[in-house]
């Protein structure tokens, strides 16, 4: 059974930093494109960014609102995905979901974690 | 990249069919066959209902179907049931190697 468990959320001041982790199990992590999606309170889903497999170059892509501030990385030896968030803004307040593709190389998010809440407030 | 456009709400009676539209541009929906649809119940994580425009993941009811014409994708729910009441989001790959979600549609079963 695929499991994705996010951690690292919490309260941070504007301008601060936070690193989220996502522990994966139940599938071959090294073969999966991994994605972060967020949802502000009472709002819709927003795609944050994705990291491809090492075999596909390990490249990352980001949504415009977070590009240059957020960094996605992965540790295939630990089956763990990371989201480093710097220069946080109040509008980054959201539940952050870790997702994996429905099939190897797929961008469609077939499996989701329960999410971790990040609150940016002074 | 602007969010894809969905109707804010759609409603139907049990047993009826409803269709949710998702309108983008030739740089996203119209340019690629990588449209997915998600169902989200309150307080829950989203669930993949359709991927690559037409395909249903295993375990998803065949009452859900997807299609695309030009820059607009659609999700049809046939034989509407009370459990289908939820928020629905489309998502498309874009020419910038990113993905973009739709604005979301609240489905109400009357």
């Amino acid at each position: 059974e695929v499991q994705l468990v996010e951690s690292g959320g919490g309260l941070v001041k504007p301008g601060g930093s936070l690193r989220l982790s996502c522990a994966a199990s139940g599938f071959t992590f090294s073969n999966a494109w991994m994605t972060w999606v967020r949802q502000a309170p009472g709002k819709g889903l927003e795609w944050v960014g994705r990291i491809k497999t090492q075999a596909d170059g390990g490249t990352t892509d980001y949504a415009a609102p977070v590009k240059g501030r957020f960094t996605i990385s992965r540790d295939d030896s630990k089956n763990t995905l990371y989201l480093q968030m710097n220069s946080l803004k109040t509008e980054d307040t959201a539940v952050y979901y870790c997702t994996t593709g429905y099939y190897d190389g797929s961008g469609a998010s077939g499996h989701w974690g329960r999410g971790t809440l990040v609150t940016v407030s002074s | 990249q602007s969010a894809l456009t969905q109707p804010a709400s759609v409603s139907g009676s049990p047993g009826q069919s409803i269709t949710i539209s998702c309108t983008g541009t030739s740089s996203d929906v119209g340019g690629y066959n990588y449209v997915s649809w998600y169902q989200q119940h309150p307080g829950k994580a989203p669930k993949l209902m359709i991927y690559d425009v037409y395909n249903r993941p295993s375990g998803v009811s065949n009452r859900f179907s997807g299609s695309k014409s030009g820059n607009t994708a659609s999700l049809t729910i046939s034989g509407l049931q009370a459990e289908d009441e939820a928020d629905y989001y489309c998502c498309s790959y874009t020419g910038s190697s990113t993905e973009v979600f739709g604005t979301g549609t609240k489905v109400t079963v009357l």
Side-chain angles (χ1 to χ4, degrees):
Chain A
E1 179 194 2
V2 172
Q3 280 203 319
L4 299 168
V5 180
E6 302 93 339
S7 60
L11 175 63
V12 61
K13 288 182 168 51
S17 298
L18 206 60
R19 188 177 84 156
L20 305 183
S21 299
C22 171
S25 61
F27 64 102
T28 306
F29 182 77
S30 59
N31 288 351
W33 291 9
M34 299 298 297
T35 299
W36 288 98
V37 176
R38 69 184 181 183
Q39 187 169 34
K43 303 296 184 182
L45 301 175
E46 182 181 19
W47 191 86
V48 172
R50 171 183 53 226
I51 186 166
K52 295 182 179 178
T53 63
Q54 295 299 331
D56 289 328
T59 55
T60 52
D61 296 291
Y62 300 95
V66 308
K67 197 169 186 178
R69 299 188 298 122
F70 289 12
T71 302
I72 299 173
S73 60
R74 62 191 300 159
D75 186 337
D76 290 346
S77 68
K78 295 182 178 179
N79 287 354
T80 301
L81 175 73
Y82 301 100
L83 179 63
Q84 177 68 44
M85 303 184 293
N86 298 330
S87 303
L88 282 161
K89 306 175 181 180
T90 55
E91 53 263 42
D92 294 319
T93 293
V95 172
Y96 285 74
Y97 293 101
C98 160
T99 85
T100 184
Y102 181 63
Y103 56 85
D104 291 350
S106 170
S109 293
H111 303 281
W112 297 64
R114 291 189 174 187
T116 186
L117 176 63
V118 172
T119 303
V120 184
S121 173
S122 53
Chain B
Q1 183 71 46
S2 298
L4 308 175
T5 301
Q6 297 180 232
S9 62
V10 173
S11 62
S13 299
Q16 285 187 330
S17 293
I18 62 169
T19 296
I20 303 168
S21 62
C22 169
T23 302
T25 69
S26 58
S27 296
D28 38 64
V29 174
Y32 309 92
N33 285 328
Y34 294 125
V35 176
S36 50
W37 288 90
Y38 302 88
Q39 175 192 66
Q40 186 179 33
H41 287 109
K44 301 292 187 182
K47 174 186 176 183
L48 179 67
M49 305 303 284
I50 295 289
Y51 67 96
D52 299 350
V53 179
Y54 314 100
N55 299 296
R56 265 189 318 276
S58 61
V60 171
S61 171
N62 59 9
R63 297 185 299 104
F64 292 84
S65 61
S67 62
K68 191 184 85 166
S69 177
N71 297 336
T72 298
S74 298
L75 174 72
T76 297
I77 309 174
S78 57
L80 198 63
Q81 298 180 0
E83 67 214 49
D84 301 332
E85 188 162 293
D87 294 326
Y88 291 82
Y89 297 90
C90 62
C91 184
S92 175
Y93 178 77
T94 79
S96 308
S97 296
T98 60
E99 309 264 342
V100 60
F101 279 96
T103 50
T105 298
K106 181 177 181 60
V107 168
T108 301
V109 181
L110 301 171

